[in-house]
């Protein structure tokens, strides 16, 4: 059912995603880490397109790459000092956290590969955006309204916290 | 690709995010690794939505809300970091330990 093109695309995108994530946690300069995170978010957007979620892919590019990355770059610009160049390195917990995250990864992969997922062979929804729009206004209208209150609260909160005294 | 491939990719990204969040010394670096973790969860949700119930888009709706809440939380966390930087003049989390002196 899956063509050779989809397989190659998935492996290329996942290799790019894993390499970008490793670069984010290990580069020395903070701006390089933010650029690697932008690359990671773009490859995840590509993965969303392979999963037939075009609207989510566009939302990811628009909000994450377009707004959150710019926010991080502004923050680096506001909190940058020349003498802080050496504090990007990792702290003294490198060995323990590597062992812990490797254990967590091993546990997750063991559970994932041994579970019998009840995958269905139904036809994938072709025009997901229309269906998402109608679902957000009929079945999920309450979370939709609550998320607007959450955004309002975070907007006011961020301005109040970050303004000059 | 089957469901397991996407889930394994999501697990690898999540583990890399946890490793980064535990070892970074800069507060902004910790926030970057939290964003990696949230994106791994988004891949998980969309993969489940596509492979288990392709006609009801519950996973994609959940992903929209996760993206929104993650962006809001990143904004508030960055505002807190700006405020801390104004007081303590550093973003090194090893030195932001005002609760004990």
């Amino acid at each position: 059912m899956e063509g050779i093109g989809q397989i190659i695309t998935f492996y290329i995108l996942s290799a790019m995603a894993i390499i970008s994530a490793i670069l984010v946690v290990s580069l020395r300069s903070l701006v390089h880490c933010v650029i690697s995170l932008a690359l990671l978010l773009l490859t995840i957007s590509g993965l969303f397109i392979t999963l037939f979620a075009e609207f989510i892919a566009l939302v990811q590019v628009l909000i994450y790459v377009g707004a959150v990355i710019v926010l991080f770059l502004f923050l680096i610009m506001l909190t940058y000092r020349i003498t802080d160049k050496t504090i990007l390195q990792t702290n003294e917990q490198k060995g323990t956290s590597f062992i812990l995250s490797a254990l967590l990864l091993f546990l997750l992969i063991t559970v994932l590969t041994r579970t019998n997922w009840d995958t269905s062979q139904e036809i994938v929804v072709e025009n997901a955006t229309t269906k998402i729009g109608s679902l957000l206004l009929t079945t999920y209208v309450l979370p939709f309204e609550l998320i607007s209150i959450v955004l309002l609260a975070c907007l006011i909160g961020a301005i109040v916290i970050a303004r000059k005294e | 690709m089957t469901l397991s491939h996407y889930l394994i990719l999501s697990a690898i990204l999540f583990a890399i995010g946890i490793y980064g969040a535990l070892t970074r010394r800069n507060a902004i670096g910790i926030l970057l690794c939290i964003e990696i973790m949230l994106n791994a969860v988004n891949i998980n949700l969309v993969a489940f939505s596509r492979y288990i119930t392709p006609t009801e888009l519950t996973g994609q709706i959940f992903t929209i809300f996760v993206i929104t809440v993650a962006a809001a939380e990143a904004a508030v966390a960055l505002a807190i970091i700006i405020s801390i930087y104004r007081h303590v003049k550093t973003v090194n989390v090893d030195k932001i330990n005002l609760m004990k002196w």
Side-chain angles (χ1 to χ4, degrees), chain B residues 11 13-14 29 35 37 39 59 76 82-83 94 96 101:
Chain B
L13 286 178
F14 193 79
E35 295 296 328
M37 286 196 264
N39 275 282
V76 174
I82 288 181
S83 175
D94 288 337
I96 306 176
W101 60 75

Side-chain angles (χ1 to χ4, degrees), chain B residues 1-98:
Chain B
M1 305 308 294
T2 64
L3 177 62
S4 307
H5 293 91
Y6 285 102
L7 296 183
I8 291 176
L9 169 69
S10 161
I12 292 176
L13 286 178
F14 193 79
I16 293 176
I18 280 198
Y19 169 73
L22 288 175
T23 60
R24 295 301 290 234
R25 212 186 282 249
N26 199 339
I28 308 173
I30 296 179
L31 273 176
L32 291 174
C33 301
I34 291 180
E35 295 296 328
I36 297 179
M37 286 196 264
L38 285 165
N39 275 282
V41 167
N42 283 344
I43 295 180
N44 226 347
L45 285 169
V46 176
F48 275 132
S49 159
R50 182 252 186 274
Y51 280 104
I52 301 204
T53 57
T55 54
E56 327 163 12
L57 302 170
T58 313
Q60 298 193 15
I61 306 264
F62 207 143
T63 308
I64 291 179
F65 288 122
V66 171
I67 290 179
T68 311
V69 170
E73 158 243 336
V76 174
L78 267 52
I80 292 178
I81 291 179
I82 288 181
S83 175
I84 288 178
Y85 179 76
R86 284 210 191 108
H87 285 277
V88 195
K89 290 292 179 295
T90 181
V91 288
N92 187 357
V93 293
D94 288 337
K95 300 199 168 44
I96 306 176
N97 50 3
L98 286 173

Side-chain angles (χ1 to χ4, degrees), chain A residues 135-136 139-150, chain B residues 61 65:
Chain A
L135 275 178
L136 273 179
T139 315
Y140 301 106
V141 65
L142 185 60
F144 183 60
E145 302 295 336
L146 286 178
I147 205 80
S148 65
I149 297 182
V150 167
Chain B
I61 306 264
F65 288 122

Side-chain angles (χ1 to χ4, degrees), chain A residues 32-94:
Chain A
H32 293 165
C33 293
V34 176
I35 301 296
S36 301
L37 183 71
L39 181 63
L40 171 71
L41 296 173
L42 284 175
T43 58
I44 289 181
S45 176
L47 282 167
F48 283 153
I49 294 184
T50 68
L51 282 168
F52 295 96
E54 299 92 7
F55 180 68
I56 306 293
L58 290 176
V59 164
Q60 167 105 354
V61 173
L62 209 64
I63 294 182
Y64 260 126
V65 184
V68 173
I69 296 291
V70 173
L71 207 59
F72 275 114
L73 288 174
F74 267 110
L75 182 72
I76 295 173
M77 180 187 74
L78 285 174
T79 64
Y80 182 74
R81 291 189 309 163
I82 304 294
T83 58
D84 278 344
K85 252 207 192 317
T86 61
I87 72 169
L88 256 302
Q89 285 290 43
T90 55
N91 59 13
E92 68 276 2
Q93 295 170 342
K94 251 194 333 191

